[in-house]
Amino acid sequence: MVRLGLSSGSVPGLAAGELAALVRAAGGTVADLRAGKGHRWEEQGIAGLDGLAVSFVGISAVLGADGQDLSAAEPFPDRCVKVFAAPGCADAPATAEQMAALTKQRAPEQVLVETHRGGASPDELVALCRRHGCRLVLDNLGLDDIADDFASAVPPLAPWTAAVQVKGYDRPEGGGKPPHRPLRTSDLGWLGAVAAPGTDITVESRSGTPHEDLTTLRTVWEAIACA
């Protein structure tokens, strides 16, 4: 089963109970959480979600980079944690040490690495997963930032993808970081190629339209699942 929901990054001002209520009101069943960014869910903690499932908890650590503080993962033993990965991460000595530390409290496949601007390339992420047993959070904007071609980058990453984050965006003329906008059905045509059973898909967007975005995601996913 594929679970759909929201990221706390879409509604950082909501307390845990309010986040859970919004997810359920929009027909979702899961949330992903970001720790250490001032999101209000942390005031009540995971217990405040009133039983809503949690896909993962994101922290700011970067695999393969020196001097990373992994302590933010410690309050979440046996849970999936999301991190980032630096270029060259698969072969970096720091990566093995960081994975050893993170897997004291969880299995290697519970360490999830996000596709992210400025981070490791798609090929490096595949090599990282093969070598260290971690898996991926495929963020659509992040993958677009690091891939030469988005569509051709999705299939090689699909077997390693545990979760997906989606947002609406348009590339501005002249380049630069795209602003987020409400999600459209046309943003999501690639989802069927990456979201296998057991995958979580969440909306992580600063568009200010979380309920509408999750409704759009549900409509698209229901069409994919029924095809």
Side-chain angles (χ1 to χ4, degrees):
M1 181 179 68
V2 171
R3 301 185 297 186
L4 309 179
L6 294 173
S7 170
S8 68
S10 293
V11 283
L14 293 189
E18 294 169 328
L19 170 59
L22 175 59
V23 171
R24 290 178 170 128
T29 59
V30 69
D32 78 65
L33 307 173
R34 186 67 160 86
K37 296 278 282 187
H39 296 181
R40 280 196 62 211
W41 75 267
E42 291 191 85
E43 296 174 4
Q44 297 172 301
I46 290 175
L49 292 172
D50 191 28
L52 184 73
V54 174
S55 180
F56 57 81
V57 180
I59 64 173
S60 296
V62 182
L63 296 183
D66 294 330
Q68 298 298 298
D69 181 4
L70 304 177
S71 62
E74 293 175 2
F76 310 105
D78 301 318
R79 289 191 179 274
C80 292
V81 294
K82 184 194 75 172
V83 296
F84 305 99
C89 57
D91 299 319
T95 299
E97 298 173 5
Q98 292 157 348
M99 284 295 298
L102 289 169
T103 54
K104 288 179 180 178
Q105 295 182 302
R106 60 192 55 81
E109 61 269 21
Q110 290 180 293
V111 179
L112 309 182
V113 182
E114 182 182 338
T115 57
H116 197 267
R117 183 183 184 93
S121 70
D123 288 346
E124 289 177 315
L125 291 173
V126 170
L128 175 70
C129 291
R130 284 179 174 153
R131 183 164 300 178
H132 295 285
C134 51
R135 300 193 73 196
L136 301 176
V137 175
L138 196 158
D139 179 282
N140 64 328
L141 176 55
L143 180 57
D144 200 14
D145 283 331
I146 63 174
D148 293 331
D149 178 72
F150 182 94
S152 62
V154 169
L157 298 181
W160 307 102
T161 297
V164 179
Q165 288 183 323
V166 296
K167 56 182 65 65
Y169 63 92
D170 293 308
R171 290 287 178 189
E173 293 184 13
K177 191 172 182 180
H180 297 182
R181 57 152 172 78
L183 199 61
R184 301 171 186 159
T185 58
S186 58
D187 296 320
L188 302 173
W190 52 276
L191 269 182
V194 70
T199 307
D200 294 332
I201 310 173
T202 54
V203 176
E204 193 280 315
S205 173
R206 293 183 293 278
S207 67
T209 53
H211 190 286
E212 294 84 347
D213 286 349
L214 182 48
T215 299
T216 298
L217 173 60
R218 285 181 52 233
T219 299
V220 170
W221 183 252
E222 288 168 2
I224 291 172
C226 293

